[in-house]
Amino acid sequence: MAWFSVCCCLFILFLFLSELTGFIATEIVNELYVDDPDKDSGGKIEVNLNISLPNLHCELVGLDIQDEMGRHEVGHIDNSMKIPLNNGDGCRFEGHFSINKVPGNFHVSTHSATAQPQNPDMTHIIHKLSFGDKLQVQNVHGAFNALEGADKLSSNPLASHDYILKIVPTVYEDMSGKQRYSYQYTVANKEYVAYSHTGRIIPAIWFRYDLSPITVKYTERRQPLYRFITSICAIIGGTFTVAGILDSCIFTASEAWKKIQLGKMQ
């Protein structure tokens, strides 16, 4: 029955390695609660925006910020950069700025230009729009950059674009207890050509946002040692118990077969 003992040992080894892998690996546990997790931010959220307008000159492109706290900033230029595209006919705008934790909007437009163009072309591609810290965690999949790759190059050049964002605060806590604060968001969008009694309204690319009161928290955890030891003991004890039962059944069957054979010979 040496082969039977070898099979049992291999089975124990397989289960042991499986449990060891689970013990070494970390798991991500998520929970929801109502709170403002990043109270030390001063009521601000950092925003990273990277957008290309291939048919609008850089001198015409500007960023405007408004919110319900009374902020109204036209032509925000701090921590921003404009890169000419298509031999100067287009522009890539990259900006890093902060917004208040109240409903509001920021928009890319020609409002800050000294002279308004006759027919501004607002077709665009969004490369990045993210809020808060960048999270690069393998087991956390969320909408941290939901507008990445949004392509509106085939849209009406004279149309405005509204992106309606619902921002969800997100906390990630690693094994050491260090927390990082980011924001996921959902998005809906519409495209339209707006008119008033004075004529067509200058088009823009609007990002209108509101914050969810619900916070998502991801916590990195590892299986406790006592649970790992308990599992190993259960594996060893269970394997030997089952092996003993099988061995007893095989032995009983073997003895019965021998008696049957002896009965036939007599």
Side-chain angles (χ1 to χ4, degrees), residues 3 10 25 32 58 64 98 115 136 153 167 180 182 199 223 230 233:
W3 64 269
L10 291 176
L32 303 177
C58 278
D64 310 324
S98 62
Q136 289 184 321
L153 294 181
I167 302 175
R180 283 179 284 172
S182 187
Q223 179 181 330
T230 302
C233 292

Side-chain angles (χ1 to χ4, degrees), residues 233-260:
C233 292
I235 289 171
I236 296 174
T239 302
F240 277 113
T241 299
V242 173
I245 295 172
L246 291 176
D247 183 63
S248 176
C249 292
I250 293 172
F251 177 76
T252 302
S254 176
E255 290 297 312
W257 178 254
K258 288 180 180 178
K259 289 180 181 180
I260 292 173

